[in-house]
Amino acid sequence: MSKPTTEERDKRKGAAGWCEQRGGDGDGSTGSRDHPQGEDSLDRLTCQLDSTGGASAARHQGALWLELQAFLADLQSAHRRPGTRRFYEQKIEPFICFLANSGIEAPEQLTATAIRRYMMALAETHSPGGCHAYWRAIRAFTRFLLREGVLERDPMVALRAPRVDQEPLEPVSLADVQAMVATCRRSDRDLRDASILVSLVDTGLRAGEAVALNVSDLDVSDGSILIRSAKNHTPRVVVCGASARRALTRYLRLRPDAKSDEPLWLAYHSEGLTGRLTYSGLREIIRRRARLAGIQPPTLHSFRRAFAIEMLRNGADLITLGRMMGHGSLPVLKRYLRQDKTDLVAVHRICSPADRLTKAGRGQQP
């Protein structure tokens, strides 16, 4: 099989829904597509072929490579989000490189042994959670090959998923959020950043949902925000409180002519406003504000975790909280609900079975 030309590869990328996310980072530069931690080391591990070939040859030749393009195109036709397609691209392509380096280029050569060897190699450079992400991607790819009739039997049946300890997810502390907000003054960019920080911790928005918001999605009168681009494709409503509404109002006063279909948060560059804030731009805002506040930069998702645990502490019930966060199952939601020792002690003092028995024996009201 001859090596595809540059034009052919570009067409394949377009057909498979490849995308590169670019946009303002809030500090005058251009954002780039995210790569999971360890991706560079994995490329070196899996794509160092001998002098007769090369990484690019392995990436663009062979039946497995063509099946990957078909898989990505299938995801696009099913209206899976660009981030989802990018996840599978980034996870499966190194796997195919690894297989090519082992002399496996056709789907019928794919065996449980080959996949197991790959997972063992991954374990040398990746955390259990990272290995599990690759395992899920490979499982989705092999299931696609089974549906298409390319594989007669599932090589994943004999494999166990990497074990991942369900460690509680750390939220950003409210003190750190307050410190970052304190670095925001009165400039346009400062007011934008303050409104973002307060809104993230007060609504539990995912980062992708936040940057997709338009001006019309916010109802300042009651603080409700319509999430149209939810992860599960089910629109929902979140609510921001008085503090977040004030911050958003101060920011939107700077844009009196903003149209309803314009982005809620704009990106700033040295030449001025440049359009919608991107995921990478949002991440850079958090990093810059943390740097100015003299704290460790929190992750974007840690704001969502803080929202969950603070709402629970303040009396929110799990059903309502799940609806606000867009989670349909409690097992997913509970990972956000990290309760520290103080929470447990406070609840136990109220609900202690032994203490209630003692009070009952003394004739006291439990």
Side-chain angles (χ1 to χ4, degrees):
M1 182 181 293
S2 60
K3 183 176 179 180
T5 65
T6 301
E7 182 179 358
E8 290 172 338
R9 288 199 298 269
D10 290 341
K11 288 181 179 179
R12 285 180 180 178
K13 290 181 180 180
W18 286 29
C19 70
E20 188 164 346
Q21 195 177 43
R22 297 191 181 277
D25 64 2
D27 201 21
S29 63
T30 301
S32 61
R33 188 177 67 185
D34 296 327
H35 289 276
Q37 186 177 5
E39 189 75 29
D40 292 340
S41 61
L42 181 66
D43 268 345
R44 289 194 295 271
L45 173 69
T46 58
C47 295
Q48 287 178 339
L49 305 185
D50 58 33
S51 58
T52 61
S56 60
R59 289 170 185 259
H60 299 290
Q61 291 190 88
L64 277 172
W65 169 256
L66 295 178
E67 294 299 341
L68 172 58
Q69 308 313 301
F71 175 55
L72 296 174
D74 181 67
L75 293 173
Q76 186 177 22
S77 68
H79 302 288
R80 301 296 293 273
R81 297 195 178 280
T84 300
R85 302 197 301 269
R86 187 166 59 251
F87 167 83
Y88 286 115
E89 170 207 336
Q90 293 174 343
K91 296 296 183 288
I92 299 173
E93 183 178 293
F95 172 58
I96 292 177
C97 285
F98 180 90
L99 295 176
N101 197 25
S102 303
I104 299 174
E105 295 188 354
E108 57 268 20
Q109 297 175 284
L110 189 58
T111 64
T113 300
I115 299 173
R116 189 177 290 114
R117 286 179 54 242
Y118 180 67
M119 297 307 300
M120 291 172 62
L122 277 178
E124 297 178 3
T125 56
H126 288 65
S127 67
C131 290
H132 197 277
Y134 281 90
W135 184 87
R136 296 196 309 271
I138 295 171
R139 181 181 60 182
F141 183 47
T142 57
R143 286 179 176 177
F144 166 77
L145 297 178
L146 286 167
R147 291 197 306 270
E148 293 290 303
V150 177
L151 289 179
E152 294 183 357
R153 57 183 179 179
D154 187 357
M156 300 287 288
V157 170
L159 298 178
R160 295 183 180 182
R163 180 175 177 176
V164 181
D165 293 332
Q166 295 296 314
E167 293 292 331
L169 302 174
E170 291 289 338
V172 62
S173 73
L174 295 186
D176 283 353
V177 176
Q178 189 174 26
M180 287 187 286
V181 172
T183 68
C184 302
R185 306 304 179 187
R186 302 298 300 178
S187 72
D188 293 5
R189 187 175 298 182
D190 287 341
L191 293 178
R192 179 203 62 180
D193 292 0
S195 69
I196 289 173
L197 291 166
V198 178
S199 296
L200 287 179
V201 80
D202 203 42
T203 62
L205 285 169
R206 297 180 177 93
E209 294 170 347
V211 298
L213 290 175
N214 290 334
V215 173
S216 60
D217 296 330
L218 169 66
D219 186 343
V220 180
S221 64
D222 61 7
S224 62
I225 300 175
L226 176 60
I227 310 300
R228 303 176 189 274
S229 57
K231 184 178 181 180
N232 59 3
H233 297 272
T234 302
R236 73 181 193 282
V237 172
V238 300
V239 181
C240 58
S243 297
R245 272 184 281 169
R246 284 194 296 270
L248 286 164
T249 300
R250 283 194 290 266
Y251 168 58
L252 290 175
R253 284 198 190 106
L254 303 173
R255 301 166 55 195
D257 299 325
K259 296 180 174 60
S260 61
D261 60 347
E262 288 185 8
L264 179 59
W265 286 302
L266 296 173
Y268 290 84
H269 285 273
S270 56
E271 64 271 20
L273 297 175
T274 59
R276 186 179 298 277
L277 183 68
T278 64
Y279 180 96
S280 58
L282 179 59
R283 183 180 56 190
E284 181 57 30
I285 288 173
I286 303 302
R287 289 175 176 174
R288 185 177 67 251
R289 290 301 167 184
R291 188 166 58 247
L292 292 173
I295 62 174
Q296 286 295 319
T299 65
L300 288 172
H301 215 64
S302 66
F303 285 82
R304 184 167 162 84
R305 298 167 196 155
F307 167 79
I309 187 62
E310 292 299 328
M311 288 289 288
L312 182 67
R313 286 172 177 168
N314 294 331
D317 65 89
L318 290 178
I319 300 300
T320 302
L321 182 56
R323 290 179 59 189
M324 289 181 177
M325 299 187 69
H327 283 307
S329 63
L330 292 181
V332 175
L333 180 61
K334 72 179 183 180
R335 291 201 65 202
Y336 289 86
L337 304 180
R338 179 184 181 276
Q339 293 176 285
D340 60 22
K341 184 176 69 174
T342 304
D343 297 311
L344 301 179
V345 169
V347 172
H348 192 272
R349 282 177 178 169
I350 297 172
C351 305
S352 168
D355 289 351
R356 293 174 72 86
L357 283 174
T358 301
K359 290 178 180 179
R362 293 175 180 174
Q364 300 176 11
Q365 184 68 29

